[in-house]
Structures are given as structure tokens and as C-alpha cells.
Amino acid sequence: MSQNTLVERLVSTVPSKRQLAWHELEFYAFIHFGINTFYDREWGNGQEDPAMFNPTELDTDQWVQTIKAAGMKAILLTCKHHDGFCLWPSAYTEFSIKNSPYKDGKGDLVKELAESCKKHDMKFGVYLSPWDQNSSVYGDSEKYDDYFINQLTELLTNYGPIFSVWFDGACGEGPNGKKQIYNWERYYACIRELQPDAVINISGPDIRWCGNEAGHCRESEWNVVPKRLTDPAYTAEHSQQEDNEAFRERPVSFLDQDLGSLEALKDEKEFIWYPSEVDTSIRQGWFYHKHEDDKVRSLETLLEIYYNSVGGNASLLLNIPVDGRGLVHENDAKRLQELGTYIKEAFASNVAPKAKVTTDTAYEDAYDVTHVLTADRGYFKPAQNEESVTLRFELDQAYAINHVVLQEELTESQRIESFEIWVKKADEMEKVYGKTVVGSKRICKFDAVNTDVVEVRITASRIYPTLKFVGIYEAQ
């Protein structure tokens, strides 16, 4: 196809309402907790004794408050991992919390966490492993699909609004030695019917996996990519097939570094809005292990991951393992508080609203350049055919700044292909930052510089660019 036709098709590909809501979350938590916690394992085998599940100090309010302190806005719970043990009293299996000592078999951890999330204004989501090593019908396609749909229905109807249903591609053998062929379209239809506002992540059509569990992402994360990437078989083929520490630490490898440039897409037939999620753990493992208490990731490492994901047009799903007491361990809680404090302070003082903002291009009143000064006043869009644009911010005085945040208007798709940040130093303009894509959010971090003029120079776009927000932050 011609480049003009390609560009037209790309910029006409936009997010759904549910995807837009997901973009706004940016940073949220995974909680791995279950029977594995009490066997000191990453992956169980479905033969565990429910009597081992006995947290004596469990406090879901502590989980939520600790996670919220880090600046996260939602929580996903491993309601059932590959072993098949259910953290809710499922009517369809005996391998669940109802046969554990916890609350004398009357407990329901999904309910407790959902209620704590509601109490503390956090979104709640569910992870349900399609692989079940305990189910006797796993591998019997129709019977197991019925079983899985029944459990999915329980989770989607009994616990209030669900913001995300998270599926991985795990597909091993069941207790009968068989593997299951998952009926993904049936699972998706169930979710769309019961929780139409929920995004379906990873092995699903809404949110894609970044391609590793180490916290790495691409230099240029594009939201519009080939539709073929949504095929669950593609994700399953490249997902973790066994408990393997090397897999958890590998960088981006199975997917190309370039998923969305014009060159990469020129021969593709179908496109989809399929943004990236970075999933990684605050420790080496996903479930709690006492020997990892001194291996919580450093603040510096977590910040690097945060800037590269949330600050690079992806979301960050950070796993927090709950220990055998039923609490987030003190070391993890301390690091999360440090992370939240840093983020809050780094973006506490936005001086952009104190600036006179101008641009070197014409625009319609409806897309006034001053709209970029707040995130909820519409957006700036220059006249058509202006693919290189400069926005100039003349501040009311000199400030020491070290962050600039950019956001595109996603309802107009993703357009910006490269940009630069320039500041005035000693009466000369100097470049302090340059990158490729912007998308949902680009956080530009650089050494603090005293200046009273900042320029955002969009140097290339697929079509005339948009900007929803520009923040200029004073160094703290």
C-alpha cells in the first residue's frame, strides 16, 4: 500500500473506551498469593493439601494501603494459579479456600480484597490461570471449558466491578496427562457480557505483553501494531513454560524491537490498538520466599523501570508477593513507600501553567495551544499538514527543572514519531532531551537546569500531531 494510505489507516486506529480508561491507570499491582506461598514454591502441581493454607494475620486493608502508598491505582489478584487452588469458595471444585483452616473454611479472599479496594478507592482485577493441574477434566476440551467458564462467571458476577481480567499463555498437562485447547473466544465473550468495561490483558485482545518479565521495554512502544499479535497462540508460544528464573530476567527477545514504525507495518494487512503492559516483580520471584527478604529491588531499579514503562508509553504492573502471615512484608512495604514518595515529590511542582505558551503554527480555536497546560481542557492540534511543530513556554521566572511530561490525545491515535526538549541557557537554546514516540505518556528526565524558556519541538509525525498535556516540573 502507499505510505499515505498506510498513515491514514494507522491514525484511524484508536482505543476503545475501556482501553482509554486503562491508559489512565498507568501503574498498578499484581498480588501473587496462594497455596504456593505455604509450600515455598513458584509453581505448584495441583496435589497440594488445602490444610496448608493458613494465614494467621491476613489483612487486605494493609495490602491496599501499602500499594496505594506507592502511587498505584489498581490491584490484580491471582485468584487461581496453575495449581488450580482457588482463593474463593468456588462451587465447582473442592480444591479451594473453603477446605482450608483459614476462617474455618468460611473465608473468601477475593471478596475481602475487592471490598478493601472499594474502601480505599482502588480498582480491582482478577487473574485466572487457564491451566489447572488439579482439574480432572482439564484436557477434555468441552468439559473443561464449561468448568472454566463457570469459575470465570463466579469471579465476574460476585465481586463488583472488575477493571481487568488477566490471562497468561500457560498450557501444561493436567492430572490426566492431557493438555487443553483453550476456547479463548468463548472466554472473551463471557467477559464482554458480564464485565463489558474490563480490559482483557496479555492472552487477550485489549492489552499486550511487553515480551519479558524483567521490566524492560522497547525504545519505541507503539500502540498501533499488527492485529496478528492478538492471537493467543502467539503469546502462548513465547510465554514461560516452566518455572525458570532465567526467563524472568531476560530482556525483550521474542518480539521485534520495532513493532509499530511505518517501515515495520508497511506490509501488514490489519492493525489494532494494542498497547503494552510491563509486568515484573518487586523481588526475583512472583510468590513470597523468605530467602528473598533481602533481595527486594532497589529504589533506583524500580525508578528505572517506572521511567521506561509509565514514562515510555506503557503501563507498569508491579508484583507484590504476600507472605505466609497474609501481609506485605516490611521490606517490600518500605520500598513501596520510598517509591511513592519519590514519584509524588518529583511531580509535585508543575510550573507550565505559569508560562506564556505559543507555537509556530496556525490552529483552530477549538484546539488552542493553551489546552496543553491542563490535562482536562481539550487538546492542541495544529493546522493540517504541519508535521513538525514547536511549542514555546516562556516562564514567569527562571526555575530549576528536571522533568517534562508529554501526552498525546489518544482519541486521535498515536502520531508523534520524534521530538526534542530545548531550554534557554545563557541566552542560547540548548537541547536537553530527545526521543521517539510519546503516546499515552512520555516522561523526559534530565539533569536539572535553570531556565525561563522551554521548547517542545516535535520533529516528525505521521500526520499533524496532537498534544493533550505538557508538564514542566521543578526539581525538588
Side-chain angles (χ1 to χ4, degrees), residues 29 31 63-72 74-75 122 320 336:
I31 289 182
W63 303 4
V64 176
Q65 290 172 310
T66 301
I67 287 166
K68 190 170 185 177
M72 292 184 259
I75 296 175
M122 297 277 276
I320 313 299
L336 290 171

Side-chain angles (χ1 to χ4, degrees), residues 121-243:
D121 194 27
M122 297 277 276
K123 303 290 185 182
F124 177 64
V126 297
Y127 164 102
L128 186 67
S129 174
W131 182 18
D132 190 320
Q133 296 179 83
N134 180 266
S135 172
S136 62
V137 296
Y138 184 86
D140 186 329
S141 294
E142 188 171 346
K143 287 183 179 179
Y144 181 74
D145 278 334
D146 288 345
Y147 172 80
F148 189 79
I149 287 290
N150 285 333
Q151 291 195 326
L152 187 58
T153 298
E154 288 179 322
L155 293 176
L156 299 182
T157 56
N158 294 332
Y159 302 103
I162 302 296
F163 90 94
S164 168
V165 180
W166 207 99
F167 291 135
D168 56 29
C171 183
E173 294 182 355
N176 54 14
K178 296 180 180 179
K179 287 189 176 184
Q180 176 75 14
I181 299 174
Y182 304 133
N183 189 343
W184 290 109
E185 293 303 322
R186 185 179 174 194
Y187 308 160
Y188 301 161
C190 177
I191 297 166
R192 294 293 192 238
E193 177 185 356
L194 299 177
Q195 293 280 347
D197 294 330
V199 289
I200 307 172
N201 301 47
I202 314 309
S203 284
D206 295 321
I207 313 299
R208 66 180 163 86
W209 183 38
C210 71
N212 68 94
E213 297 178 350
H216 302 297
C217 42
R218 295 168 185 79
E219 177 70 16
S220 302
E221 283 289 3
W222 286 96
N223 295 322
V224 180
V225 297
K227 188 175 181 180
R228 59 183 171 80
L229 297 184
T230 63
D231 183 354
Y234 186 82
T235 301
E237 180 184 353
H238 300 97
S239 295
Q240 189 174 2
Q241 304 301 321
E242 60 184 359
D243 180 25

Side-chain angles (χ1 to χ4, degrees), residues 251-325:
V252 173
S253 59
F254 81 85
L255 291 175
D256 294 335
Q257 284 287 348
D258 181 4
L259 290 182
S261 72
L262 296 180
E263 178 64 24
L265 298 177
K266 65 182 182 181
D267 296 323
E268 294 290 340
K269 295 180 179 179
E270 294 184 276
F271 308 109
I272 192 170
W273 189 275
Y274 200 35
S276 176
E277 176 186 82
V278 175
D279 63 315
T280 192
S281 185
I282 197 169
R283 297 176 173 222
Q284 291 178 334
W286 292 85
F287 284 91
Y288 174 82
H289 308 288
K290 184 175 177 58
H291 70 270
E292 293 181 355
D293 283 350
D294 62 349
K295 295 182 174 61
V296 177
R297 290 183 190 249
S298 68
L299 176 61
E300 293 72 22
T301 298
L302 290 175
L303 285 171
E304 180 182 3
I305 294 169
Y306 179 86
Y307 278 110
N308 288 337
S309 55
V310 175
N313 190 41
S315 70
L316 175 55
L317 174 60
L318 180 64
N319 179 66
I320 313 299
V322 169
D323 66 23
R325 298 171 299 173

